[in-house]
């Protein structure tokens, strides 16, 4: 590509960023965001259709598929931490490339499953631990490249591009299935994943750390270790609880909407598309608005929007109310996710940033493994109302823990990227 073509591509990319309220994405992370968006096309398309493939093509029992999906989610709990820790030692870029390449190979392997149910289910499980290391390393790379006061906006930018992938990936996978069947879908998605690997190989580079690893505060923090960092573990508990509500209600709401509240399946398909669309349109703008609030206040607002709207079902279960709850809970997700990522990065000592953010991803995986099962179990033994009350209560408890953890650390907004020794 010559310089003129490169400048045209850069200007076009900036116009796209401005369209979605992202005019100030730091140049150091633009290649990462672009590569992640391409990788997201592959993983979102894969996740949307692999369950359908297992049931329709392999004729696997629904219960067996459910167990495979649970193990797949649970297997990511530890792999993110290990991948992040490895990136602290070997660099972010090698871990990102290895993670994405492993996902590409695994997706391609689905073309070889044939009619073998056990092979297909084993591949579904194997896919689980492959992505979290790359996610942890990517988050750590953003934290390395961006000063504390700008991290929330940077994570929001990444989230917008990922949501665009969620919008485009499943239709793209559906087109591949329609044109060439399941092998074409898996092959095409693997090709997208390989394209992301090539982009990462060429364009992504580990930025210079904004911290000095030999600084005294960093050394003391590193010596204590993640699992003895009481403030971070308290915050990690809050992450797990609030995300538990998000996961439980997100996965349970379609069950309640269709089976209990008699919403047509086609109508739910339209409603579920609201989530990524709202994230793309409002994530960056809402993040800038949230920067005006104190951290504790923002966490309380996010937790209230994450769990609170579902209590509206105690008053009304109409289609209009279901749509309103989807919108409100999406704004809770918008307020919470980049805020939580930025706070986790701020709490992490520089030498262990990858491990800390890997533990953050592990807590999210734990919540998504446990939350849906807990919601379905409560539904089976009690009622929908108990699910909604439980979700709101768990989110409130998470907000309290987060507020307590944040009281122990100063707000790094606009400050130098310094690690504060915590007791």
């Amino acid at each position: 590509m010559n310089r003129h073509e490169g400048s045209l591509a850069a200007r076009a990319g900036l116009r796209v960023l401005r369209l979605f309220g992202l005019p100030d994405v730091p140049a150091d992370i633009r290649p990462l965001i672009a590569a992640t968006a391409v990788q997201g096309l592959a993983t979102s398309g894969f996740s949307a259709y692999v369950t359908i493939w297992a049931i329709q093509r392999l004729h696997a029992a629904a219960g067996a598929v459910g167990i495979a999906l649970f193990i797949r989610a649970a297997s990511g709990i530890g792999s993110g931490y290990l991948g992040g820790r490895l990136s602290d030692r070997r660099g972010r870029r090698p871990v990102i490339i290895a993670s994405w390449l492993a996902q590409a190979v695994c997706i391609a392997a689905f073309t070889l499953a044939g009619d073998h149910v056990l092979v297909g289910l084993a591949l579904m499980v194997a896919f689980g631990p492959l992505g979290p290391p790359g996610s942890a390393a990517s988050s750590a790379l953003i934290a390395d490249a961006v000063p504390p006061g700008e991290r929330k906006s940077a994570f929001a930018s990444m989230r917008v591009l990922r949501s665009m992938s969620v919008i485009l990936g499943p239709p793209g996978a559906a087109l591949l299935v329609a044109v060439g069947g399941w092998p074409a879908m898996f092959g095409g998605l693997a090709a997208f994943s390989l394209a992301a690997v090539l982009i990462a190989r060429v364009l992504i580079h580990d930025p210079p750390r904004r911290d000095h690893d030999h600084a005294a505060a960093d050394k003391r923090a590193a010596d204590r270790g993640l699992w003895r960092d009481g403030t971070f573990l308290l915050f990690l508990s809050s992450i797990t609880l609030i995300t538990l509500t998000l996961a439980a209600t997100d996965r349970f709401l379609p069950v309640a909407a269709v089976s209990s509240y008699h919403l047509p399946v086609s109508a739910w398909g339209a409603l579920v598309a609201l989530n990524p669309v709202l994230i793309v349109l409002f994530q960056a703008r809402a993040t800038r608005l949230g920067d005006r609030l104190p951290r504790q206040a923002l966490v309380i607002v996010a937790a209230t929007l994450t769990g609170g709207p579902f209590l509206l079902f105690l008053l009304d279960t109409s289609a209009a109310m279901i749509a309103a709850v989807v919108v409100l809970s999406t704004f809770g997700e918008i307020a919470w996710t980049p805020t939580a990522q930025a706070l986790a990065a701020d709490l992490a000592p520089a030498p262990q940033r990858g491990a800390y953010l890997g533990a953050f991803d592990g807590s999210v995986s734990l919540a998504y493994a446990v939350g849906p099962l807990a919601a379905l179990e409560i539904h089976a033994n009690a009622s929908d109302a108990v699910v909604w009350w439980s979700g709101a209560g768990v989110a409130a408890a998470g907000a309290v823990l987060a507020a307590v953890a944040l009281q122990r650390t100063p707000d790094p907004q606009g400050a130098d990227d310094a690690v504060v020794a915590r007791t």
Side-chain angles (χ1 to χ4, degrees):
M1 178 183 293
N2 60 43
R3 183 178 300 178
H4 178 65
E5 289 172 334
S7 63
L8 285 176
R11 287 199 296 271
L14 286 174
R15 289 193 185 98
V16 172
L17 292 174
R18 291 191 185 99
L19 178 64
F20 297 109
L22 303 170
D24 301 320
V25 177
D28 287 345
I29 66 169
R30 288 175 193 165
L32 174 64
I33 290 178
T36 301
V38 176
Q39 176 68 0
L41 291 173
T43 55
S44 64
F46 171 81
S47 296
Y49 279 91
V50 69
T51 303
I52 298 173
W53 167 81
I55 293 175
Q56 185 184 92
R57 175 68 178 83
L58 298 184
H59 305 291
V65 173
I67 293 172
L69 291 175
F70 171 76
I71 297 173
R72 170 183 155 185
S75 66
I77 295 172
S79 68
Y81 167 72
L82 294 175
R85 186 174 178 182
L86 182 62
S87 77
D88 289 332
R89 300 180 180 183
R90 302 294 184 182
R92 316 303 185 197
R93 178 172 171 267
V95 175
I96 294 170
I97 291 174
S99 174
W100 293 357
L101 181 60
Q103 286 186 309
V105 172
C106 188
I107 293 173
F110 277 82
T111 61
L112 306 176
D115 297 323
H116 302 289
V117 176
L118 291 180
V119 173
L121 295 179
L123 286 172
M124 289 176 65
V125 171
F127 189 79
L130 302 180
S135 175
S138 298
S139 298
L141 191 152
I142 290 175
D144 292 342
V146 179
E150 300 174 16
R151 283 176 184 160
K152 195 191 305 179
S153 295
F155 284 118
S157 302
M158 177 72 83
R159 184 166 170 74
V160 169
L161 270 295
R162 280 177 174 167
S163 295
M164 290 179 65
S165 298
V166 170
I167 294 172
L168 299 175
L175 179 62
L176 289 170
V177 172
V179 171
W182 295 111
M185 186 199 78
F186 289 123
L189 295 179
F192 271 103
S193 191
L194 283 174
V197 170
L198 293 175
I199 294 172
R201 184 83 172 83
V202 173
L203 297 180
I204 294 177
H205 303 283
D206 283 5
R209 296 287 182 89
R210 303 188 64 88
D211 323 77
H212 298 291
D213 289 354
H214 61 271
D218 287 358
K219 189 174 187 305
R220 288 194 300 271
D223 288 343
R224 282 201 313 275
L226 187 158
W227 305 113
R228 290 189 291 147
D229 188 337
T231 299
F232 184 75
L233 292 178
L234 187 64
F235 183 69
L236 205 62
S237 299
S238 75
I239 295 286
T240 305
L241 290 176
I242 295 177
T243 310
L244 192 71
T245 295
L246 185 65
T249 51
D250 179 53
R251 297 292 191 265
F252 177 69
L253 180 55
V255 176
V258 173
S259 63
S260 299
Y261 307 149
H262 309 296
L263 186 75
V265 174
S266 58
W268 173 252
L271 285 179
V272 78
L274 278 175
N275 179 275
V277 170
L278 290 173
I279 291 172
V280 168
L281 293 177
F282 297 108
Q283 177 69 79
R285 297 174 176 87
T287 299
R288 285 197 294 272
L289 182 63
D291 285 339
R292 303 176 185 177
L293 297 175
R295 294 184 302 170
Q296 287 89 341
L298 182 58
V299 167
I300 291 171
V301 169
T304 300
L305 286 174
T306 298
F310 296 94
L311 296 178
L312 295 173
F313 287 137
L314 303 177
L315 305 175
D316 183 17
T317 58
S318 65
M321 181 60 77
I322 295 172
V325 168
V326 169
V327 171
L328 290 172
S329 62
T330 296
F331 275 100
E333 187 180 346
I334 285 172
W336 174 240
T337 304
T339 299
Q341 288 177 298
L343 290 173
D346 294 340
L347 290 168
Q352 294 180 287
R353 187 172 285 146
Y356 271 60
L357 292 174
F360 171 91
D361 283 351
S363 71
V364 173
S365 296
L366 175 63
Y368 271 90
V370 173
L373 286 179
L376 290 171
E377 188 66 20
I378 293 172
H379 167 73
N381 292 283
S383 65
D384 293 351
V386 178
V387 175
W388 307 136
W389 277 112
S390 299
V394 168
V400 171
L401 292 182
V404 172
L406 294 177
Q407 282 182 340
R408 300 183 181 184
T409 58
D411 190 342
Q413 182 78 18
D416 291 334
D417 191 5
V419 177
V420 178
R422 298 181 292 276
T423 58

